[in-house]
Amino acid sequence: VLFDTPTSAFTRPNTLRLDRNGALRLFSTEIQINIEQNAPFFVCLQHSKKLHPNFDFVLKAVLEAVPDAYIALLQGASKHLARWRKAKLDTSRLLFLPRAPRHAILALTA
């Protein structure tokens, strides 16, 4: 079966909140994510050692297909930035999630 549209809907979890400057705050940390409130927000919670170079084209395809989207990755994935820049990924739209309790990270998938 091939569906024409996604079979699930994403509701932004309450762990992301707008501050008075219009920036989204992640969890209760001092990390600010400066994206528009309704910008598409994808999350990839794979450990950095699982981000094989063959997966780079998927990240690039998502960013090209959804021009105003952001992809959140776990902090350890930032070690791949040089490789992603070489592959011409728009790394300004990659967000790196700080270490956080398991329940806070899982809340992003809710």
Side-chain angles (χ1 to χ4, degrees):
V1 175
L2 180 61
F3 295 100
D4 293 330
T5 60
T7 59
S8 61
F10 175 76
T11 304
R12 193 174 298 277
N14 62 8
T15 54
L16 291 171
R17 294 186 180 89
L18 280 176
D19 68 12
R20 62 185 133 174
N21 298 321
L24 284 174
R25 281 199 180 270
L26 180 61
F27 314 131
S28 59
T29 67
E30 293 302 309
I31 303 295
Q32 286 191 12
I33 299 174
N34 294 313
I35 63 174
E36 293 181 26
Q37 182 177 4
N38 293 321
F41 186 75
F42 297 93
V43 180
C44 178
L45 299 177
Q46 291 297 319
H47 189 281
S48 64
K49 66 183 175 186
K50 292 184 178 181
L51 296 173
H52 192 274
N54 290 345
F55 184 69
D56 294 355
F57 84 95
V58 173
L59 297 175
K60 186 174 182 178
V62 167
L63 294 175
E64 288 175 352
V66 189
D68 55 343
Y70 291 84
I71 299 175
L73 302 147
L74 297 177
Q75 184 65 44
S78 63
K79 71 180 184 179
H80 299 298
L81 276 171
R83 183 181 88 208
W84 290 332
R85 286 186 184 112
K86 188 175 179 181
K88 300 195 185 328
L89 261 77
D90 183 357
T91 56
S92 68
R93 293 176 26 217
L94 299 178
L95 308 171
F96 299 98
L97 304 175
R99 283 190 148 312
R102 183 175 188 265
H103 70 274
I105 294 291
L106 291 177
L108 286 173
T109 65

